[in-house]
Amino acid sequence: ETEWSGKGDPVALCAGDVCVALFREREGVQARPAEPLDRNEHFAVALDRANFEQAQTHLCELGIEFKLSNHKVCDSLYLNDPEGQQIELTNYGV
């Protein structure tokens, strides 16, 4: 929760090492149909660097599509589960 401190950043609720980030709807931004790997309705799991990299290797070996993003405070990997729900794996450089 200490990584986000600017206007419009999410609110982080933490209990020990487990956090949930709540993102606000952006004013003036029209809702649009989302592509499977391009939406913000998802949950995220924070991983250490070794497991974040291992996840990428494993997903590639399985032929599972994912998208990488650098958010300045963290690196994230986005993929969809078999029902189309988006999952984010994230690493804060640890």
Side-chain angles (χ1 to χ4, degrees), residues 15-34:
D17 292 337
V18 177
C19 295
V20 174
L22 304 175
F23 292 81
R24 297 174 187 88
E25 186 174 350
R26 291 184 275 169
E27 285 186 42
V29 176
Q30 285 289 92
R32 62 179 173 80

Side-chain angles (χ1 to χ4, degrees), residues 7-65:
K7 182 178 179 183
D9 285 347
V11 175
L13 307 172
C14 298
D17 292 337
V18 177
C19 295
V20 174
L22 304 175
F23 292 81
R24 297 174 187 88
E25 186 174 350
R26 291 184 275 169
E27 285 186 42
V29 176
Q30 285 289 92
R32 62 179 173 80
E35 294 297 320
L37 286 178
D38 186 32
R39 64 177 172 220
N40 202 23
E41 298 174 11
H42 66 280
F43 72 90
V45 178
L47 303 174
D48 62 22
R49 178 53 64 180
N51 283 303
F52 184 76
E53 292 174 1
Q54 183 179 6
Q56 292 174 60
T57 300
H58 190 63
L59 291 168
C60 286
E61 289 170 353
L62 294 173
I64 296 174
E65 181 182 350

Side-chain angles (χ1 to χ4, degrees), residues 50-94:
N51 283 303
F52 184 76
E53 292 174 1
Q54 183 179 6
Q56 292 174 60
T57 300
H58 190 63
L59 291 168
C60 286
E61 289 170 353
L62 294 173
I64 296 174
E65 181 182 350
F66 61 90
K67 176 181 164 185
L68 289 172
S69 292
N70 179 306
H71 299 296
K72 296 183 184 173
V73 298
C74 66
D75 291 317
S76 294
L77 175 156
Y78 298 92
L79 69 143
N80 293 325
D81 73 9
E83 295 179 352
Q85 302 301 312
Q86 189 177 72
I87 301 167
E88 176 184 1
L89 304 180
T90 191
N91 173 264
Y92 287 89
V94 182

